[in-house]
Amino acid sequence: MIRAEHLNIRRGAQVLFDDAEFMVHAGERVGLVGRNGSGKSTLFAVIKGQVEIDAGDINYPESWRLAWVEQMIGDMDRPAREHVIDGDRLLRELQAQRALAETESASGETIAELEGALDQAGAWQANARAEALLAGLGFSADQWMAPVGSFSGGWQMRISLARALMAPSDLLLLDEPTNHLDLDAMLWLERWLASYEGTALIISHDTEFLDSVSQVILHVDHKKLLRYKGGYDSFVSQRAERLRQTRLAWEKQTQESARMQQFIDRFKAKASKAKQAQSRVKALARMQTLAPLHAEANIDIRIPQPDNTPDTLVQLRHASVGYQLDGQSRVILSDVTQRVEAGDRIGVLGVNGAGKSTLIKLIAGELSTIEGERTAAKTLKIGYFAQHQMDVLDAKATPLQHLARIASTTREQQQRSYLAQFGFTGDRVNETIAPFSGGEKARLALSLVVWHKPNLLVLDEPSNHLDVETREALTTALAEYEGSLLLVSHDRHLLRTTVDQFWLVANGQATVFDGDLDDYRQQANASGSSKGSGRGNQGVDRKQQRRDQAKARQQIANAKKPLEKKLSTIDSRMSGIQNKLEALEAQLADESLYSDDGSDTRKTVLAEHAQLSQEKTRLEEDWLTVMAEIEALAPENHTA
């Protein structure tokens, strides 16, 4: 297992972990979550032995083999498959020894021993293993032996990921492994991790991916590491309850502290009460102060609403689109006939390289048709966020300067107010963006894209580099946006909550996908990749499935009604008891209650206070029980 005790880690003057502790059992898949800059990647560096800790210990078995994704690739001329196999260092070492034994005419016994060791290391299956990893991550067979340097940066990171997965390991450290993956590759990685027998620590801002692969969540919270059993959704529920309980405990302690202080202030000068007052001073000093635990404040992104939206924004008729290569047109998609209408919210599915970005560039007017036509409404206003939108930002300019360049007729105060909606407040608007995080740059780029109130948002992977809180803010903003939306994203939570129909790009075509993300996932899991349009594929079964799902949802809703009514009754009773308790506590704070004449009243008040406190505790337990019953009725816990 991994055990950390009294862990203290600083980065410069910033304290990342203060007396933190955690434990990870062998074989667990653990999601490591927390805000950007909270120390997640630093913790990985400590485990890898790259960063020294300031105090405390972090231990794991010395025999454990570690694997992680290397950010730098040395030999760019190395074939992709060979670079992946290089991740198995023991195998490469044995192969080198075997080659040396051959040249030095080693004894037959030595060669036999090496052959046995190679067999034990899986030498004869190495090529097939590496090819399977590359195929799962989206590489076609004709790319396996291409030089690493011939691939773009994102595809090189996929090769590095395959190399890490190739390495035999007992502890696998993955830091944002999905950033450069499409949905199909992500689904493949989920399946691979499900069968991984070692211990895995995974940093990811993709909550649905974390929920799928994690058995435990470690949350970096106020410089501590808190362990939650279950996936990400379970973590969110448990943390919400913890926040509620902590708030209740803090409020109760605050009231008790105030009452003690009132007693001390009133009676410390009176000889008859001085001893009691002094005892309360000591009790107050001994009382452990509970810090009010607050959920981190989310960024509130607001996308301006369009002034008007025509009925049909963009229409493609028998359109072919592609690129010029060596003076010749290379067609990526052909005979595409689709339209984007007012109110459409469309998610674009397909493997990397199928042509998703090409399609939305055509819709956005960034590419022209080779054949066919693209027709746009006269009042069309597009907000296009490209996959590499951050690359067009000026690293030497500030957020305010970026906005002023496209909003020169707008007053500075209005520009500041607008940027504040994307999380840039105070002096931050006047800082050059060069040292900004990827998430901050993505937010700035998005703010510039939507400044002119587009009636069609065309977004290509807008959530890359965003932390969980900012992704949630973007999800909310897109859900509230009243214009039309065309979205390419591997973030399933973003897709589920912002679009209501899908196009599938595959085999040079762009067609309507007859299904939802669960259908797409089932196809990907069954075949390894989603090919074909999906139009009419098992349509009758899907219709029946939807009817069954609707029926199941209605049954769940009917079952929840009496529970929700019971919950409302408990809430009402708890509120009434709380009001009575506050009234009684006000009486207990009255010094006349402690005179000889008030002794009978004091006994009555104290008895009633104790009875109501017990009743409140019982109601809180009932509330938790009913909530658990309601949560057990959630659709994911039932099959239609």
Side-chain angles (χ1 to χ4, degrees):
M1 69 171 65
I2 306 172
R3 182 189 292 273
E5 298 177 308
H6 308 297
L7 199 62
N8 286 270
I9 303 175
R10 290 176 175 269
R11 186 173 59 192
Q14 182 184 8
V15 178
L16 297 177
F17 297 98
D18 181 15
D19 198 31
E21 298 185 349
F22 71 89
M23 180 185 299
V24 173
H25 299 288
E28 287 184 329
R29 296 190 302 275
V30 180
L32 182 61
V33 302
R35 293 188 72 108
N36 279 352
S38 61
K40 302 185 298 295
S41 295
T42 301
L43 183 62
F44 269 21
V46 168
I47 293 173
K48 290 186 283 188
Q50 298 171 346
V51 170
E52 294 290 332
I53 60 177
D54 295 282
D57 293 295
I58 184 165
N59 298 300
Y60 55 85
E62 293 183 3
S63 61
W64 273 16
R65 300 162 296 176
L66 272 62
W68 61 84
V69 179
E70 298 283 359
Q71 299 298 314
M72 301 297 294
I73 296 177
D75 186 358
M76 288 293 183
D77 295 326
R78 187 82 164 148
R81 189 189 71 186
E82 298 308 303
H83 180 73
V84 170
I85 298 175
D86 290 345
D88 191 338
R89 296 179 182 177
L90 174 60
L91 173 61
R92 286 306 198 200
E93 183 180 338
L94 290 170
Q95 288 176 333
Q97 292 177 13
R98 177 64 178 84
L100 183 63
E102 189 74 32
T103 59
E104 294 182 348
S105 301
S107 67
E109 183 180 352
T110 298
I111 292 177
E113 289 177 355
L114 287 170
E115 291 284 349
L118 283 166
D119 184 58
Q120 187 77 17
W124 323 125
Q125 296 82 36
N127 287 353
R129 283 177 54 216
E131 290 166 0
L133 291 170
L134 289 169
L137 291 172
F139 292 86
S140 58
D142 59 354
Q143 294 177 308
W144 295 342
M145 296 306 291
V148 173
S150 66
F151 295 97
S152 66
W155 285 90
Q156 287 179 16
M157 292 312 300
R158 292 192 187 209
I159 294 172
S160 292
L161 175 58
R163 177 187 171 109
L165 303 184
M166 181 76 183
S169 62
D170 302 291
L171 176 59
L172 179 62
L173 304 175
L174 296 178
D175 193 345
E176 294 293 354
T178 66
N179 264 0
H180 301 284
L181 303 184
D182 59 14
L183 184 53
D184 289 72
M186 189 189 306
L187 293 173
W188 174 88
L189 181 59
E190 287 180 6
R191 296 193 298 273
W192 190 95
L193 286 170
S195 63
Y196 177 65
E197 296 180 354
T199 304
L201 291 181
I202 305 158
I203 298 172
S204 178
H205 294 312
D206 189 313
T207 58
E208 192 153 341
F209 174 77
L210 275 182
D211 195 53
S212 175
V213 302
S214 300
Q215 300 163 315
V216 172
I217 295 292
L218 277 182
H219 183 212
V220 183
D221 187 26
H222 295 79
K223 302 173 187 176
K224 306 292 185 185
L225 279 155
L226 304 178
R227 178 184 168 98
Y228 295 83
K229 188 69 175 175
Y232 188 84
D233 285 351
S234 176
F235 152 70
V236 171
S237 299
Q238 292 177 65
R239 174 160 167 75
E241 176 59 22
R242 181 171 176 269
L243 287 169
R244 190 183 76 86
Q245 294 286 359
T246 304
R247 186 186 70 250
L248 290 173
W250 176 73
E251 289 173 352
K252 182 177 180 181
Q253 189 184 78
T254 300
Q255 292 171 356
E256 187 176 349
S257 299
R259 287 198 299 273
M260 280 190 180
Q261 191 62 55
Q262 285 176 347
F263 187 93
I264 292 166
D265 293 340
R266 285 181 180 138
F267 299 117
K268 63 183 178 183
K270 296 181 181 181
S272 62
K273 300 289 184 180
K275 190 172 182 180
Q276 295 180 45
Q278 288 301 317
S279 68
R280 281 167 172 75
V281 169
K282 294 177 181 178
L284 192 60
R286 287 196 305 268
M287 185 181 291
Q288 179 184 2
T289 302
L290 291 172
L293 187 59
H294 300 295
E296 295 90 348
N298 290 338
I299 293 171
D300 185 18
I301 294 177
R302 298 179 187 176
I303 297 175
Q305 301 299 346
D307 293 325
N308 63 80
T309 303
D311 290 338
T312 299
L313 294 98
V314 180
Q315 186 164 1
L316 304 177
R317 293 187 181 91
H318 305 292
S320 296
V321 63
Y323 301 91
Q324 292 291 324
L325 187 64
D326 298 329
Q328 294 184 335
S329 296
R330 183 191 172 201
V331 176
I332 304 298
L333 300 173
S334 59
D335 197 26
V336 177
T337 298
Q338 296 291 352
R339 69 172 65 185
V340 181
E341 298 182 338
D344 276 352
R345 309 182 70 82
I346 302 165
V348 183
L349 304 174
V351 299
N352 263 18
K356 300 190 300 294
S357 294
T358 302
L359 174 65
I360 67 169
K361 284 179 181 178
L362 176 61
I363 295 285
E366 298 289 314
L367 289 176
S368 301
T369 58
I370 296 174
E371 293 181 356
E373 61 180 5
R374 170 191 180 272
T375 306
K378 291 182 179 179
T379 55
L380 175 67
K381 291 173 70 174
I382 289 179
Y384 173 53
F385 185 98
Q387 192 167 149
H388 304 291
Q389 190 72 28
M390 294 181 294
D391 295 343
V392 304
L393 297 176
D394 180 359
K396 297 180 181 178
T398 68
L400 198 56
Q401 289 172 334
H402 276 93
L403 183 57
R405 290 170 185 174
I406 62 172
S408 56
T409 60
T410 308
R411 289 175 300 150
E412 181 179 319
Q413 186 55 48
Q414 186 177 349
Q415 294 173 13
R416 285 176 173 271
S417 297
Y418 177 77
L419 289 170
Q421 296 175 9
F422 291 83
F424 300 102
T425 57
D427 295 337
R428 197 65 169 163
V429 299
N430 287 317
E431 297 176 11
T432 56
I433 70 166
F436 279 19
S437 68
E440 288 173 313
K441 291 176 182 176
R443 274 191 277 122
L444 176 59
L446 179 63
S447 73
L448 302 177
V449 164
V450 301
W451 166 258
H452 290 296
K453 298 182 179 180
N455 46 30
L456 173 59
L457 274 181
V458 181
L459 308 179
D460 193 354
E461 296 291 359
S463 64
N464 275 358
H465 308 289
L466 300 184
D467 60 21
V468 171
E469 289 77 18
T470 310
R471 286 189 183 206
E472 286 297 329
L474 175 63
T475 299
T476 301
L478 290 177
E480 294 174 349
Y481 173 65
E482 295 175 0
S484 298
L485 173 65
L486 195 66
L487 174 64
V488 174
S489 178
H490 65 258
D491 188 326
R492 283 163 289 173
H493 176 65
L494 183 63
L495 286 170
R496 290 183 198 278
T497 50
T498 60
V499 307
D500 52 26
Q501 59 176 304
F502 293 97
W503 292 352
L504 178 64
V505 178
N507 302 322
Q509 302 287 311
T511 56
V512 174
F513 181 72
D514 183 19
D516 56 20
L517 282 178
D518 292 330
D519 295 322
Y520 186 77
R521 178 174 186 164
Q522 288 171 8
Q523 290 187 16
N525 287 344
S527 64
S529 63
S530 298
K531 298 180 180 180
S533 69
R535 184 189 297 267
N537 182 22
Q538 296 180 336
V540 176
D541 290 342
R542 284 206 186 94
K543 289 179 181 178
Q544 183 60 46
Q545 183 183 35
R546 288 175 187 142
R547 283 195 292 268
D548 292 342
Q549 289 172 343
K551 182 179 179 181
R553 285 194 296 270
Q554 186 60 47
Q555 291 173 342
I556 291 171
N558 292 338
K560 286 172 68 174
K561 282 181 182 178
L563 292 173
E564 289 172 343
K565 184 177 180 180
K566 186 176 181 180
L567 198 66
S568 178
T569 301
I570 293 173
D571 278 332
S572 179
R573 291 175 63 188
M574 286 175 64
S575 178
I577 288 176
Q578 182 61 37
N579 292 335
K580 290 180 181 179
L581 283 171
E582 289 175 359
L584 291 171
E585 286 161 1
Q587 286 184 263
L588 290 170
D590 186 350
E591 62 184 61
S592 64
L593 195 67
Y594 299 91
S595 66
D596 293 338
D597 294 338
S599 60
D600 291 339
T601 304
R602 184 172 68 252
K603 290 178 182 178
T604 301
V605 171
L606 287 170
E608 186 176 0
H609 188 279
Q611 180 183 352
L612 289 174
S613 296
Q614 291 177 355
E615 177 69 7
K616 182 183 176 185
T617 300
R618 186 184 64 77
L619 286 171
E620 287 175 348
E621 292 174 352
D622 290 346
W623 188 94
L624 289 173
T625 300
V626 176
M627 273 301 299
E629 291 177 9
I630 291 175
E631 290 173 359
L633 291 172
E636 59 268 21
N637 296 325
H638 298 265
T639 56

